[in-house]
Amino acid sequence: MTFKLNQQNLARVPGHIATPTYDRTKVGQNIVHIGIGGFHRAHQAVYAEDLFLLNESLDWGICGIGLLPGDVAMKNALEEQDYLYTLVERESEGDKARIVGSIVNYLYAPDDKEAVLEKLASPQTRIVSLTITEGGYYIHSGTNEFDQAHPDIQFDLANPGSPRSAFGFLLEGLKRRRERRIPPFTILSCDNIQGNGAVARKMLLAFAELANPELAVWMAQNVSFPNSMVDRITPATKDMHRQLVKEITGIDDLWPVTTEGFKQWVIEDKFPLGRPAWEKAGVQITEDVLPYEKMKLRLLNASHQALCYIGILLGYEFVHQTMEDADIRRFVELFLEEVTPVLPEVPGVNLSDYKRTLIHRYSNPAICDQLSRIGIYGSSGIPKFLLPSIEEQLENKGKIHYMAFTIASWFRYLDGLDEAGNSIIMKDPDAGRLHQIAHSANKTAQLFLNDRSVFSEKLAHSTVFADLVQQYLTAMYREGVRNALQKVIGGQ
């Protein structure tokens, strides 16, 4: 017999499932989070919960903000459950469920923009954290500068008191605080962007200079934008996850979260209005996030690309299936070793242990992380995760065999058919254009390398790189993907 998840029914939760033991009526809302989704609820909200269970930092509860039409479903689900939800950590050894209660409010901006703006302007709000995806920062893909022509930005410039973008809300909230002589909140980006705090600062100040130059000067002098690095694999919630929660807990949860056991958060310590004692919950507080960030982007995110396309070409659907394939597993291990020479020392981290942890995480069959999800980030991710390592290795006259093979497998994937001749569904936002290049390229790698939206002039004209990519791409077409893979891991 199942029961609805809400505050009243917490007493019915089975004893082996952790629940909030603190008084949720005493939890404050010092953190406002824009973009509450599965990742935030599996990551930042869990760190807050862990502190609450230690009777620490009860003021630092979370008020969620939803800006997009799709956010209304999340808002309704959480509201019905008193903002409680079930988190299930899934490992091969078994599932471990808990109830998280650190989110205590949720405002849906399209219903009441003024309520959101006043929440941002409230003295109680000390940190505004963000998971708004890279698109939410309005970075022009061609220049990497602020995209002031974007329709959202043009709308918010014309309607500052009734914005629709995260930047519009942040700017108006800060404007009201300045007018009321309230110190500004800290803006904490939790998105998977290198230098996310610096990027948030650059783009928001560029917007402010267009909208209100005096406010921009005040922000530049007073608003803190700490960098952070986040990591936890969190698949999107589906009906099968809701059913799983019912089966293992008896709880009817409208929007549970499933995730892996591993989690990591590294934060630059720049919080003028204070912060929770995150370090007591396992967060790494540092003066420099860059080494951790570079490690994650160059190893985890890049190796995700390495296993993704070859896995799809060989007919696999999930990440763990690629690790069950001895050839792909060995390829990923070799790929990680090839990237390692360009990484700095990372304080408190043993890189050999970290790489073994990645293989373990990828091998987890309980997560069912879809390769198609990773493939979404080809055109945007490869230039950030993979190409910088290739360029640095070329400068150092180091090996780039496995990285070049990854690029070749991406080109082969863009042709649209896997090894067995089945159509590949490509979810990359730029897939249509890239697919056309693949068709016109006639198996010639250089036509891909001439695409300046992905490859730099310098890299495209590297004969070492271009020749290797062409060699591997030709092998995939002539000898088959499997044979080409076996040759590269055999050192041929």
Side-chain angles (χ1 to χ4, degrees), residues 147-211:
D147 184 5
Q148 67 183 63
H150 193 285
D152 290 349
I153 298 304
Q154 289 298 308
F155 179 89
D156 287 356
L157 288 172
N159 303 275
S162 182
R164 65 187 184 195
S165 74
F167 277 16
F169 279 97
L170 289 172
L171 204 64
E172 179 65 18
L174 287 167
K175 174 177 172 288
R176 294 184 184 192
R177 293 176 81 101
R178 179 172 180 256
E179 291 170 347
R180 299 170 192 178
R181 300 184 182 276
I182 300 170
F185 45 70
T186 295
I187 297 176
L188 176 61
S189 171
C190 299
D191 283 295
N192 187 29
I193 301 171
Q194 188 166 6
N196 53 15
V199 170
R201 184 181 193 276
K202 176 182 176 180
M203 298 303 160
L204 187 59
L205 287 180
F207 177 48
E209 286 166 4
L210 294 171

Side-chain angles (χ1 to χ4, degrees), residues 155-365:
F155 179 89
D156 287 356
L157 288 172
N159 303 275
S162 182
R164 65 187 184 195
S165 74
F167 277 16
F169 279 97
L170 289 172
L171 204 64
E172 179 65 18
L174 287 167
K175 174 177 172 288
R176 294 184 184 192
R177 293 176 81 101
R178 179 172 180 256
E179 291 170 347
R180 299 170 192 178
R181 300 184 182 276
I182 300 170
F185 45 70
T186 295
I187 297 176
L188 176 61
S189 171
C190 299
D191 283 295
N192 187 29
I193 301 171
Q194 188 166 6
N196 53 15
V199 170
R201 184 181 193 276
K202 176 182 176 180
M203 298 303 160
L204 187 59
L205 287 180
F207 177 48
E209 286 166 4
L210 294 171
N212 188 329
E214 288 187 9
L215 180 62
V217 172
W218 178 81
M219 288 169 56
Q221 296 172 345
N222 295 282
V223 181
S224 182
F225 295 82
N227 290 305
S228 73
M229 186 271 271
V230 298
D231 189 7
R232 194 171 213 189
I233 297 171
T234 307
T237 299
K238 298 182 178 180
D239 286 341
M240 67 178 184
H241 300 126
R242 296 178 177 89
Q243 185 60 35
L244 170 73
V245 169
K246 285 183 183 180
E247 291 173 358
I248 67 175
T249 68
I251 298 170
D252 184 4
D253 189 331
L254 296 172
W255 218 304
V257 184
T258 61
T259 188
E260 62 177 335
F262 178 92
K263 68 179 186 298
Q264 186 178 25
W265 197 6
V266 184
I267 308 175
E268 193 175 24
D269 201 1
K270 295 181 178 179
F271 294 86
L273 297 186
R275 62 168 176 80
W278 279 311
E279 60 271 27
K280 294 184 180 181
V283 176
Q284 294 165 276
I285 304 296
T286 181
E287 293 182 0
D288 186 9
V289 172
L290 182 61
Y292 302 91
E293 185 177 63
K294 192 172 182 180
M295 173 188 72
K296 187 218 171 190
L297 294 174
R298 302 287 185 94
L299 293 177
L300 182 144
N301 294 110
S303 63
H304 257 166
Q305 298 296 306
L307 63 82
C308 172
Y309 307 109
I310 196 70
I312 291 174
L313 288 170
L314 292 176
Y316 297 124
E317 183 180 359
F318 299 108
V319 171
H320 73 269
Q321 292 173 327
T322 68
M323 293 297 99
E324 293 167 357
D325 185 307
D327 292 338
I328 300 180
R329 184 187 182 102
R330 181 58 182 155
F331 172 73
V332 173
E333 290 171 344
L334 292 168
F335 177 95
L336 292 170
E337 292 305 314
E338 188 173 84
V339 173
T340 301
V342 303
L343 296 175
E345 287 191 17
V346 185
V349 176
N350 181 299
L351 286 180
S352 296
D353 290 343
Y354 182 79
K355 287 180 283 190
R356 282 192 289 271
T357 298
L358 290 181
I359 297 296
H360 174 77
R361 293 168 68 190
Y362 299 161
S363 303
N364 184 352

Side-chain angles (χ1 to χ4, degrees), residues 312-315 412 415-424 481:
I312 291 174
L313 288 170
L314 292 176
R412 171 67 180 80
D415 203 22
L417 297 175
D418 67 15
E419 180 84 320
N422 300 310
S423 295
I424 296 171
V481 173

